[in-house]
Each structure stands twice: as C-alpha cells, then as structure tokens.
Amino acid sequence: MAAASLSASNTVASGSRLTDSYGRVIHDLRVSITDRCNYKCIYCRTGEHGAQYPELQIGEYLRLIRIFAGLGINKLRLTGGEPLLRRGLIELVESIAAMRTITGERLDIALTTNGHLLDTLAGPLKAAGLNRVTVSMDAVDAPTFERITRVDGSFQTVLGGIRAARAAGLTPLKINCVLLRGFNDGEIEGFARFAREEDVVVRFIEFMPLEEGRLWTPEIVVPLREIVERINRIPSLAHVLPLRELPLREPSETARRYTFADGKGEIGIIAPVSQAFCGACSRVRLTSDGKIRTCLFSQVEHDLYGRMRAGAGDEELRAYVVRTVQGKEARHHIGEPGFLKPSRSMVHIGG
Ligand code: SAM
C-alpha cells in the first residue's frame, strides 16, 4: 500500500498509509473520550480540579476515527480521563467494531481504565466488540492503593473489576503500575506474586513528567534494570527465577516482556525514560476535544475537530491528518537541558 502523500491539490486518497517524515508507519490511535476521572491519583492529579477540556459527541469521535481508519490505523485504544465514565461508550465500541481497516479486517479495540466501573461494564463492553482492557493499578496493598487513588474501598472494587474483565474474556488482561521511588516501589515484589496468582500481565511503567503538579525528578524514576534485579531476588519465588526475557512480538512494542521459569505470569516493563522507544513509535493521539497530538510531549496541538466543525469534508480532514503526522517529533527530550513539560498533563491528554 502506498504511503500517504499529499498531491498538488492537497488531497489524499483513503486507503493510503500514514507515515511520518522519519519513515515510521503510524497505525495506532489513542482516543480520549473524556478528561473527567473518578480517581485523583496523587502522582497524576493535584486534586484541585476535574475536567478541563470539552468532550465531543460520540458521532463526532466516530467520524474522526473513521478518517484515521481510512489512513491505515488498525489499533484503537479508548482512554481518558476515565473512559468508563463516558455516556455512550457501549454504542461507540459497537460502531468502531463495525469499521474495517484498509485491508478489510476489524480494528483491534482496547481500553485503558482504572477499573472502578468494570464489574458491571466488562460484559457489555465485550459483547459490543471490545477486545482487551488495561487496568491501571499502582499498589496491591489495599491501604496503599486507597491512599494513592484517594477513594475509600477502591482496591476491592478494582479487584472485582479485574476478575469480571477476565471472566468476560477481555484478555490478555494487562495491569499497568506506574512506579515512583520512595512512594510505591515497595510494591514490586507484591505485583510479581499478583501476576502469577491472578494470571495477568503486570507492566511496570516509568514515571514521566506528565503530572498536573511538579513531582518529577530523574531520581523518582525506578529504572527497568532495578525492577528486574529486585524481582530476581524474591525468596519465595526463587524456584521460578531468574526472569526469562520474551522476544518482541512487533518492533513498535513498548514493553520489554519477562516470564518466570514455569511460564506462569508475565511481567512487562515500559521504560520510556531510561530506554526510550521513540524510534519505533507507531502512535498518534486524539484528545477529548478533538486535537491531534503526535507525541505525549508535543508542544503543539493540531485542531482536527475545529476543522470538522468549520465544515471541512472528509477529504480535507484526511489531508490535514496526513500533513500533521508528517510533522511528528523524532523523539522526546525527557531529562535533557531545556526539556519543557507539555501544556496538558496525562489525564487531559489520554494515557
Ligand atoms: N483513567 C484511566 C486509567 O486509570 O487507566 C485512563 C487514563 S490514565 C491518565 C492512563 C495511565 O496513565 C494510567 O495507567 C496512569 O497510571 C498513567 N499515568 C498518569 N500519569 C503518569 C505519568 N506521569 N507517567 C507515567 N504514567 C502516568
């Protein structure tokens, strides 16, 4: 399939593939459908305000997603804020499930959630066509978890949500844990056991400077090497250690994957800070108010919805997406002199 390029008339055919100026093929779209959240995780939110940006109507997200699907997007992740708070979510998933990629397949549809409402929504989401969920969970010790989320009883509720998702077949079920030194890095060993007991993929994520407040320092990041070393020293798991690294399934995979000697339980480590993977990035994001972000750390946003609201046709919108993706940043500059935090934090971009 030809790479998407603009003709002299500034149009681009549906069915071309999105590429950037570094030759990376962009096939993974993350769409935030609200920036509201029912948790106020203390490393993410200041706790002072909720939604900051407007939401589009479900039909408007669908039109924009269809434009991207026509340009080669084959993986779609719904996120937020907390996507399970969004009214119309089931209908949105149903309509995305009815779309086809440019090669005629169904899109791979995933969703990132804090899991609080998953107990009742897992079944309907699966029936609507959702393939997988990733649940964010930053501790396996209930009091620590509730201190982080600032919601009483949240640990048991999320555990119920995880089990409901597994029962509904939203698998492989991934649990994402953001690690901050001196804060929840004591949970590493507990999560290794949790991965095996609950038969889930636990993925540790390095903390990035994307919080509402100002918490990030290089020292607060717990690097990949340290996580592997600490798991390898767990006495009660000595019979299935050291961890064995698994091969990459695709070049743009963000996680380094490990398993135990008996193959039970999987640990992933996503290291955007200590081992950046920008060179293989295949992602682009759409915020809840319809702006394209070509990188989590972009300093500029591209107002796709603004063009749509002003009456642009699909062809014009496609050309705009192609042009915008061409300008995708080579890489982020976390930890380098002159690094600038983006104007939006993670909860308002869509993680
Ligand atoms: N509410 C949903 C959830 O909890 O998964 C989706 C939105 S949340 C912002 C998406 C993910 O971003 C969560 O796993 C969260 O832990 C992660 N996150 C938030 N701030 C982060 C940061 N500064 N660095 C790395 N990950 C972060």
Side-chain angles (χ1 to χ4, degrees):
M1 193 70 58
S5 60
L6 290 172
S7 71
S9 63
N10 219 24
T11 62
V12 62
S14 175
S16 308
R17 274 196 196 283
L18 271 182
T19 53
D20 69 9
S21 62
Y22 300 94
R24 292 173 295 194
V25 176
I26 307 304
H27 60 83
D28 183 344
L29 174 67
R30 303 201 169 188
V31 182
S32 171
I33 53 174
T34 179
D35 72 331
R36 289 175 286 134
C37 192
N38 43 356
Y39 282 7
K40 290 186 200 154
C41 297
I42 54 181
Y43 64 89
C44 181
R45 318 268 312 273
T46 57
E48 283 155 16
H49 41 66
Q52 284 181 23
Y53 297 92
E55 294 169 8
L56 308 191
Q57 292 174 15
I58 293 296
E60 294 174 325
Y61 289 121
L62 280 170
R63 180 168 169 210
L64 296 180
I65 292 169
R66 209 168 274 120
I67 300 270
F68 278 95
L71 287 167
I73 292 293
N74 55 18
K75 277 173 88 171
L76 195 276
R77 179 172 293 275
L78 297 172
T79 181
E82 174 46 46
L84 299 191
L85 290 177
R86 183 60 207 257
R87 191 173 293 190
L89 172 64
I90 302 292
E91 294 76 8
L92 176 66
V93 172
E94 269 168 4
S95 301
I96 299 169
M99 291 181 195
R100 292 294 175 263
T101 67
I102 55 177
T103 46
E105 289 108 35
R106 298 171 70 116
L107 277 83
D108 176 31
I109 317 170
L111 178 141
T112 303
T113 173
N114 59 30
H116 194 80
L117 300 172
L118 207 46
D119 189 17
T120 47
L121 283 172
L125 282 167
K126 177 70 184 179
L130 187 72
N131 298 109
R132 295 174 289 117
V133 287
T134 301
V135 180
S136 304
M137 209 183 167
D138 301 309
V140 283
D141 171 62
T144 308
F145 187 80
E146 287 162 25
R147 239 184 350 262
I148 294 173
T149 59
R150 295 188 266 200
V151 173
D152 290 343
S154 52
F155 182 77
Q156 281 310 323
T157 309
V158 171
L159 193 57
I162 288 172
R163 291 176 178 165
R166 201 185 31 222
L170 291 168
T171 51
L173 190 54
K174 292 179 187 158
I175 308 295
N176 279 0
C177 165
V178 177
L179 281 178
L180 283 76
R181 188 179 303 286
F183 173 77
N184 67 341
D185 57 330
E187 297 289 308
I188 292 176
E189 290 79 1
F191 267 115
R193 285 188 286 269
F194 186 81
R196 292 172 59 79
E197 287 159 13
E198 293 290 328
D199 191 21
V200 291
V201 179
V202 168
R203 306 194 309 171
F204 296 107
I205 303 179
E206 290 178 344
F207 183 51
M208 294 180 277
L210 285 169
E211 70 283 28
E212 280 182 349
R214 292 224 163 254
L215 206 62
W216 193 90
T217 61
E219 293 72 35
I220 210 168
V221 177
V222 184
L224 180 145
R225 194 168 37 81
E226 183 179 329
I227 299 169
V228 174
E229 281 170 10
R230 281 185 50 180
I231 294 178
N232 280 340
R233 287 199 302 265
I234 301 175
S236 61
L237 295 181
H239 59 295
V240 286
L241 291 170
L243 288 175
R244 187 161 49 83
E245 187 159 1
L246 294 166
L248 281 181
R249 280 170 298 206
E250 52 178 291
S252 61
E253 193 162 60
T254 50
R256 298 268 290 269
R257 300 185 306 125
Y258 302 83
T259 189
F260 297 86
D262 60 359
K264 190 171 165 212
E266 185 179 315
I267 302 290
I269 304 180
I270 303 182
V273 181
S274 71
Q275 301 193 18
F277 37 78
C278 307
C281 184
S282 59
R283 279 170 292 284
V284 65
R285 288 180 158 78
L286 194 64
T287 61
S288 60
D289 56 340
K291 307 262 168 52
I292 301 174
R293 292 186 65 94
T294 48
C295 172
L296 269 177
F297 297 93
S298 292
Q299 292 298 321
V300 284
E301 298 180 336
H302 307 271
D303 193 5
L304 182 62
Y305 175 64
R307 279 164 179 76
M308 179 175 130
R309 206 182 39 186
D314 284 0
E315 200 169 285
E316 198 181 323
L317 295 176
R318 261 197 301 276
Y320 183 70
V321 170
V322 169
R323 219 165 39 236
T324 301
V325 167
Q326 273 287 308
K328 181 173 163 70
E329 298 79 346
R331 62 184 185 93
H332 69 65
H333 297 275
I334 301 175
E336 296 174 17
F339 169 79
L340 282 176
K341 254 177 94 165
S343 58
R344 294 194 199 214
S345 59
M346 191 68 131
V347 65
H348 305 295
I349 295 174

